[in-house]
Amino acid sequence: MNVRSEGRYPALSAFSGGVLAVHAHPDDETLSTGGLLATFADAGLPVCVVTCTRGERGEVLALPGTTSEGRAGLEGDGPALGAYRETELAAALWRLGGGVDGAVEHAFLDDLPPSGLSATGGACATEPPAEVLYEDSGMTWVAPGVAGPAPDSPPTAFARVPLDESAGRLAALVRARRPAVVATYEPGGGYGHPDHVRAHQVTVRALELAADPAWRPGGGGASAGEGAPDLGVGQWDEPWAGAELWQAVVPAAELREARATLAALPEAVSLAAAEDLTFANPDEDLPPYAKQGLDTRSAERQVFGTPGYRTPDVLPITRAGRIARLDVRPVVGRVVEGMHAHASQVQHATALAPSEGPIAGWYALSNNVLAPILTTETYLVSSFSSPE
């Protein structure tokens, strides 16, 4: 428990099991769910991130004055880049956790044994495997902001791993930790990257397995996984159907407004001119995570509970049907610091103070396109129950 923040959001007791976030590569946890992770950590709730690959096929920014300066040679050297991105990920999680050791726990998916977990009391980390089992599948651009499969993905690519093999590892961790929320991408993987798409599929399947009383780690039967240790929080043979699936999305109208607002900000325009950056066209086709018809209520009106319900414990989360909205602004500093830690992948991360409309800041990836940090993270919520 983060004693500094215990009691800051008393009504967050509805989420006492905390959050387990599943992501494809280092940096995705910050870019896609950084506000959620930082908010839960700030409230002293359990936070764990599972990363499916080490991002071995990523491009490398090596900008002067950043922690990745002089590291351009890592690009194309998969093992070396993956190892370096592990260090960036550790730094980013520490910053999302407010500089508190252990506030955000972490494991790589292939570190989790397929036949049960080590006796860690429900913690994320386990003994690493002798070799990397799940590698970055790579991608190719098929449209502005939309990715597709790479033609040369390796046999060990995460997107090629049998679904139940990888999902079983995650399901055992879900049973051990018994989270209130499991967060990942929507079915299109956010922007189509095959590892993101697979991460969604693995997460959904893991929740199904974790909720199924007949499932056992290592292969189904009642005797499978015999000898698995007592994990303290939960055991491998104790089903868990109490987690909600939160899929990261954004209202399409909000994203278009944010892109237009960003392109008109004098500070952003000056930065783009000085650094040879561009802006996304607000009118172009949007990536899969942008959804039509989602609630776009402003962050100022976000209160958890029934309509009109307000207490002195105003929360950064609101729920309306299947939509959860989280105000990022109280933790945007942590999110931006997390982006800075991923300097091989993210550049020019900046927080706005105060925010401007739907924008809390901006950043760019290796495509040199300035993108908005939204004031609000939006999630599609669904529940899982045990099979009949």
Side-chain angles (χ1 to χ4, degrees), residues 47 76-77 94 115 143 193 235 250 259 297 307 322 356 362 383:
V47 180
D77 185 343
W94 187 79
S115 57
H193 193 298
Q235 294 179 241
V250 63
R259 286 181 171 183
R297 285 179 293 175
R322 293 185 60 230
E356 182 76 22
W362 62 71
S383 299

Side-chain angles (χ1 to χ4, degrees), residues 3-346:
V3 294
R4 294 182 307 103
S5 302
E6 186 173 2
R8 174 168 177 174
Y9 299 129
L12 274 177
S13 60
F15 300 111
S16 59
V19 59
L20 172 63
V22 184
H23 287 287
H25 316 105
D27 79 6
D28 292 326
E29 80 294 328
T30 304
L31 295 172
S32 295
T33 59
L36 179 66
L37 300 177
T39 297
F40 272 50
D42 189 43
L45 294 169
V47 180
C48 178
V49 174
V50 173
T51 310
C52 299
T53 81
R54 293 155 180 81
E56 297 93 339
R57 302 189 71 179
E59 298 176 319
V60 175
L61 295 165
L63 299 181
T66 73
T67 54
S68 68
E69 182 177 1
R71 300 186 184 273
L74 291 173
E75 187 169 329
D77 185 343
L81 178 56
Y84 181 72
R85 294 187 70 179
E86 287 190 39
T87 67
E88 290 188 322
L89 176 58
L93 297 180
W94 187 79
R95 294 176 183 184
L96 289 174
V100 177
D101 291 339
V104 180
E105 297 180 275
H106 178 262
F108 285 101
L109 184 58
D110 58 7
D111 285 0
L112 302 175
S115 57
L117 302 176
S118 63
T120 60
C124 263
T126 62
E127 290 298 319
E131 59 182 349
V132 171
L133 302 179
Y134 304 156
E135 292 187 69
D136 187 338
S137 302
M139 50 149 279
T140 186
W141 292 110
V142 297
V146 179
D152 59 345
S153 64
T156 51
F158 175 58
R160 293 174 177 251
V161 175
L163 181 60
D164 277 12
E165 197 281 326
S166 49
R169 297 173 186 266
L170 183 60
L173 183 65
V174 169
R175 284 187 172 183
R177 293 190 66 89
R178 309 180 98 66
V181 172
V182 176
T184 192
Y185 320 103
E186 48 75 55
Y191 70 104
H193 193 298
D195 286 338
H196 287 229
V197 173
R198 196 59 164 175
H200 168 87
Q201 295 167 346
V202 166
T203 303
V204 171
R205 181 59 176 153
L207 288 172
E208 293 172 346
L209 294 174
D212 184 353
W215 179 76
R216 298 291 185 273
S223 63
E226 287 185 358
D230 183 344
L231 295 169
V233 176
Q235 294 179 241
W236 60 271
D237 58 349
E238 294 178 344
W240 178 244
E244 291 183 328
L245 174 64
W246 286 29
Q247 301 172 71
V249 295
V250 63
E254 188 168 284
L255 181 56
R256 293 190 190 280
E257 180 188 356
R259 286 181 171 183
T261 302
L262 179 60
L265 283 178
E267 311 99 299
V269 171
S270 295
L271 175 65
E275 300 292 339
D276 197 24
L277 306 172
T278 61
F279 296 95
N281 182 352
D283 298 321
E284 71 184 13
D285 291 341
L286 297 177
Y289 72 93
K291 306 294 185 184
Q292 300 289 341
L294 296 184
D295 185 358
T296 59
R297 285 179 293 175
S298 67
E300 288 83 353
R301 293 164 54 193
Q302 291 189 23
V303 182
F304 185 87
T306 57
Y309 174 80
R310 297 185 71 88
T311 75
D313 309 317
V314 175
L315 298 178
I317 299 173
T318 188
R319 293 284 291 275
R322 293 185 60 230
I323 308 300
R325 302 261 290 169
L326 182 141
D327 188 352
V328 173
R329 293 172 301 171
V331 294
V332 68
R334 294 189 184 190
V335 174
V336 167
E337 285 301 311
M339 292 181 182
H340 287 165
H342 288 293
S344 73
Q345 308 298 308
V346 185

